[in-house]
Amino acid sequence: MSDHDLCFTARALAQTHPMTEAAARYRQDRFEEERTRQPVPELADWASTALLVGYCLRRAEERAAGIDVLPAATADPEAIVSACEVIRTGDPQVVTLLSAATTVAALDRLIASELDKRREHLREQLADDDWRELEDYIAWWVVHGYGVRATECPRP
């Protein structure tokens, strides 16, 4: 399966109710934290959406790999951050179900898509450094969403 196909499936899943109860609760808690932490309320919305599509990418990857696992009952924040760090700075193949190159390309594609949604209305208002900060912020949340599902349903 190509990164394009994975992203298509992830976006389609995001339109349903794809999260386990534990993951949905975790997402809501992060959303509420971001709402109080961020000076611009929309950032929390964008983070929440980015987390969802990252989560759905992992679900799409599970489908493509033919893996059917029972998810964990709770979300472990330390394990999630650890999985994200492995993806971002370590050997992603330790976490991914398909080839790391395919999954990382799909993550990049989803990040670009999330940023493109904001580009038209926001890019001209932000200095280059501020835009790069937004890119990092959205990237973190997409990868974080992937990490949520990866820790719920680790590699068999």
Side-chain angles (χ1 to χ4, degrees), residues 17-32:
H17 296 285
M19 300 183 108
T20 62
E21 186 177 321
R25 220 175 15 257
Y26 181 83
R27 178 181 177 217
Q28 184 62 35
D29 290 346
R30 300 298 73 74
F31 171 75
E32 290 170 9

Side-chain angles (χ1 to χ4, degrees), residues 61-121:
E61 191 182 32
E62 290 167 13
R63 285 184 179 181
I67 293 173
D68 188 24
V69 293
L70 272 173
T74 60
D76 178 357
E78 288 182 28
I80 294 166
V81 169
S82 177
C84 294
E85 287 305 310
V86 168
I87 292 166
R88 295 180 69 192
T89 62
D91 178 9
Q93 193 63 54
V94 173
V95 179
T96 63
L97 299 173
L98 302 176
S99 78
T102 299
T103 301
V104 170
L107 285 165
D108 288 344
R109 184 182 288 270
L110 288 175
I111 291 163
S113 175
E114 290 302 302
L115 287 165
D116 283 346
K117 293 177 190 177
R118 282 56 182 177
R119 187 175 310 277
E120 184 179 328
H121 301 291

